[in-house]
């Protein structure tokens, strides 16, 4: 075998190996994921999804008490025509968590049923590069955000300090109620505003025409 043929063979082998690592384009079938973490995408990086797509991805936890959180890394579909639908369950009759279209990355989405169904639908016209998202399966919503903000106890987040919400991601007293500026103080998870101030974080002064923030 000559050197040029050998180099061509090696290059072809590497190219085929790289191609094997790339996710295959979705093909109007349902792919099922049962791992605790994974990546979902409509196809190889840099390529567009196909016209007339109907692709499904089902994430199934090992029991119905688990939470599944989907985090979009990129999003690009024909606005108002091609959509990504996310359901809290394993069928289209399950509650719809959101429908997304365009080029804005959605916020994190959490399913509480132990299953999450994702559908990419496109029409027969213009197509874009699709979406890429990571999912994680945890015992509590969002894994209680951070250990410093809460801990998971029997599938429920027990929040620390002034953190609240199902996943301990929301400050109960935003901006500490402006305590350092004398606007208010935090009392039992709520802002108690000083005279002349109001609003969720005591950021609105009665003489300020800019409105609440």
């Amino acid at each position: 075998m000559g050197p040029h043929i050998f180099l061509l063979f090696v290059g072809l082998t590497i190219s085929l190996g790289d191609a094997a690592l790339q996710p295959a384009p979705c093909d109007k079938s349902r792919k099922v994921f049962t791992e605790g973490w994974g990546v979902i995408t409509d196809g190889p990086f840099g390529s567009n999804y196909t016209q007339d797509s109907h692709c499904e991805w089902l994430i199934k936890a090992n029991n119905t008490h688990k939470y599944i959180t989907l985090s979009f890394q990129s999003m690009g579909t024909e606005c108002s025509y091609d959509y990504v639908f996310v359901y809290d369950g394993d069928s289209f009759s399950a509650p719809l968590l959101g429908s997304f279209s365009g080029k804005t990355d959605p916020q994190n989405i959490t399913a509480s049923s132990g299953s999450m169904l994702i559908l990419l639908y496109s029409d027969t016209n213009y197509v874009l590069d699709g979406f890429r998202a990571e999912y994680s399966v945890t015992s509590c919503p969002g894994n209680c955000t951070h250990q410093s903000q809460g801990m998971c106890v029997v599938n429920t987040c027990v929040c620390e300090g002034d953190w609240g919400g199902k996943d301990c991601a929301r400050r109960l007293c935003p901006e500490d109620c402006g305590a350092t500026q004398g606007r208010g103080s935090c009392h039992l998870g709520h802002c108690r505003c000083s005279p002349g101030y109001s609003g969720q974080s005591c950021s609105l002064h009665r003489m300020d025409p800019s409105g609440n923030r």
Side-chain angles (χ1 to χ4, degrees):
M1 181 183 296
H4 296 294
I5 297 177
F6 177 75
L7 289 174
L8 177 62
F9 175 77
V10 171
L12 179 61
T13 302
I14 294 174
S15 298
L16 291 175
D18 292 341
L21 296 176
Q22 292 284 348
C26 62
D27 54 2
K28 295 189 177 182
S29 64
R30 173 178 289 192
K31 296 179 174 63
V32 180
F33 296 79
T34 57
E35 300 296 326
W37 179 91
V39 175
I40 293 177
T41 180
D42 57 89
F45 177 78
S47 65
N48 293 345
Y49 55 87
T50 58
Q51 296 175 336
D52 193 26
S53 288
H54 182 108
C55 301
E56 302 175 21
W57 298 266
L58 176 62
I59 307 166
K60 290 185 69 70
N62 56 14
N63 67 65
T64 57
H65 299 293
K66 297 286 187 177
Y67 292 84
I68 301 169
T69 299
L70 189 70
S71 176
F72 282 83
Q73 309 300 306
S74 62
M75 176 76 182
T77 64
E78 184 185 11
C79 189
S80 301
Y81 291 95
D82 300 345
Y83 282 87
V84 176
F85 298 94
V86 183
Y87 297 86
D88 190 355
D90 59 4
S91 71
F92 298 124
S93 62
L96 179 65
L97 294 174
S99 57
F100 310 101
S101 182
K103 296 184 177 181
T104 300
D105 293 352
Q107 295 182 341
N108 289 357
I109 309 163
T110 299
S112 58
S113 65
S115 297
M116 176 184 283
L117 179 61
I118 303 163
L119 166 67
L120 170 65
Y121 165 82
S122 70
D123 60 15
T124 57
N125 295 316
Y126 188 63
V127 294
L128 291 175
D129 52 356
F131 76 98
R132 183 183 188 277
E134 296 180 359
Y135 76 86
S136 59
V137 180
T138 57
S139 296
C140 279
N143 209 24
C144 304
T145 308
H146 300 290
Q147 291 184 351
S148 60
Q149 295 175 204
M151 59 185 300
C152 184
V153 179
V154 194
N155 302 114
T156 302
C157 287
V158 178
C159 302
E160 301 286 346
D162 65 342
W163 294 99
K166 290 184 177 181
D167 57 357
C168 300
R170 177 174 58 86
R171 280 193 178 275
L172 298 178
C173 292
E175 302 176 20
D176 199 26
C177 310
T180 57
Q181 294 84 29
R183 302 197 315 256
S185 60
C186 185
H187 181 71
L188 298 178
H190 297 280
C191 285
R192 180 176 290 176
C193 299
S194 302
Y197 289 92
S198 62
Q200 188 177 15
S201 60
C202 301
S203 59
L204 177 64
H205 193 272
R206 63 184 178 185
M207 301 301 293
D208 184 359
S210 62
N212 199 2
R213 300 188 298 274

